[in-house]
Amino acid sequence: MKILVCISSVPDTTSKISFTENDTKLNKAGVTYIIGPYDDYALARAVELKEQQGGSITVLNVGGADAEPQIRKALAIGADDAIRVDVEPTDSYFVAEQIAAVAKEGAYDLVLMGRESSDYNSGVVHGIVGEMLGIASFSPVMQLDINGSEASITREIEGGKEKLTASLPLVLGCQEPIAEWKIPNMRGIMTARTKPLKVIPAAGAALTNTEKYSLPAPKGACKMIPAEEAEKLIDLLRTEAKVL
């Protein structure tokens, strides 16, 4: 079984975010980057499937050379080789276009990725990729088992869970508890240095351009109301917060 795992390189959630060049670009100075947390779940499940059934895992990243530490970490965790599309991931459609081009050429049985990236949180890339490839896509997938050419899937839906089966090939957006995150061991870190990392140009051109970024409005002051003053709380909700 051939598995393509798509990973994003995103700022650590504890990073302080600011912008440069008239608020048109992220200021990367001092920002720590990690593999997208949901992508980590996808990679972990791919490694488990490979251990159970054999096959190969290719890691794909759309981004610049500064993403290569995250790619090498994925190789250390258990991927066999990697591909980096050498272009900035400007929007979901453009990223999906790159993934679809690689997936089509590689004829993968499974294309796994996180349900969304933790920087832009669009949550639509898996669906666009599936449409471009003409195959089914499901998200957010919480459980995945493979039996021959059939996948058994549990995904989260509004108000509950849905269990279904589908034939390979598939595109899946993953989330916990599909697998537990894996930490690379020393042997994995050493072997990752020599695993193939292929850098390729982008397919097509981006359709959008960022005009400006802005930070969320700062949080307002917090008022503490004693429990015995419920009427005062209701009055403030009505007159100040205007939510009643």
Side-chain angles (χ1 to χ4, degrees):
M1 180 168 58
K2 292 182 65 178
I3 305 175
L4 180 67
V5 179
C6 309
I7 65 169
S8 53
S9 175
V10 300
D12 188 289
T13 52
T14 62
S15 298
K16 185 177 181 180
I17 301 300
S18 62
F19 307 108
T20 61
E21 298 184 29
N22 199 27
D23 293 336
T24 60
K25 290 186 178 181
L26 173 69
N27 181 7
K28 297 184 178 182
V31 175
T32 300
Y33 280 80
I34 61 173
I35 297 174
Y38 290 117
D39 301 328
D40 248 334
Y41 287 116
L43 177 60
R45 186 59 184 140
V47 171
E48 291 173 353
L49 290 171
K50 176 187 169 184
E51 291 172 348
Q52 294 167 5
Q53 304 188 22
S56 63
I57 301 171
T58 297
V59 167
L60 171 63
N61 171 261
V62 180
D66 53 357
E68 292 193 4
Q70 287 72 54
I71 297 173
R72 289 295 176 189
K73 180 181 178 181
L75 291 169
I77 288 172
D80 299 287
D81 62 291
I83 299 171
R84 180 173 66 81
V85 182
D86 191 23
V87 67
E88 283 297 311
T90 54
D91 61 68
S92 297
Y93 186 90
F94 184 57
V95 171
E97 189 176 28
Q98 310 314 309
I99 295 172
V102 171
K104 188 175 295 184
E105 182 177 344
Y108 295 93
D109 300 295
L110 269 178
V111 180
L112 303 181
M113 63 189 76
R115 62 174 293 177
E116 62 186 9
S117 63
S118 59
D119 48 6
Y120 290 98
N121 303 100
S122 72
V124 298
V125 172
H126 38 75
I128 300 174
V129 172
E131 183 67 22
M132 288 179 170
L133 295 175
I135 60 177
S137 64
F138 300 97
S139 181
V141 176
M142 305 169 66
Q143 184 175 344
L144 171 64
D145 294 296
I146 305 295
N147 184 12
S149 61
E150 187 174 83
S152 298
I153 297 166
T154 301
R155 66 171 175 171
E156 185 178 8
I157 59 174
E158 186 174 354
K161 301 176 183 178
E162 178 184 35
K163 293 186 177 182
L164 52 91
T165 58
S167 298
L168 303 179
L170 292 170
V171 180
L172 304 178
C174 305
Q175 70 169 37
E176 75 285 358
I178 193 169
E180 291 187 5
W181 287 344
K182 297 187 181 297
I183 300 174
N185 55 34
M186 185 55 66
R187 181 183 178 187
I189 293 171
M190 297 300 292
T191 57
R193 297 176 180 178
T194 58
K195 289 182 178 179
L197 170 53
K198 182 179 180 182
V199 180
I200 62 174
L207 303 177
T208 62
N209 181 56
T210 300
E211 293 186 354
K212 188 175 183 178
Y213 289 107
S214 62
L215 293 172
K219 293 182 179 180
C222 178
K223 292 185 177 180
M224 303 298 292
I225 309 298
E228 61 272 13
E229 297 182 17
E231 290 185 1
K232 183 178 180 180
L233 173 61
I234 293 170
D235 182 63
L236 289 172
L237 291 174
R238 181 182 293 115
T239 58
E240 290 191 13
K242 300 185 185 303
V243 296
L244 294 178

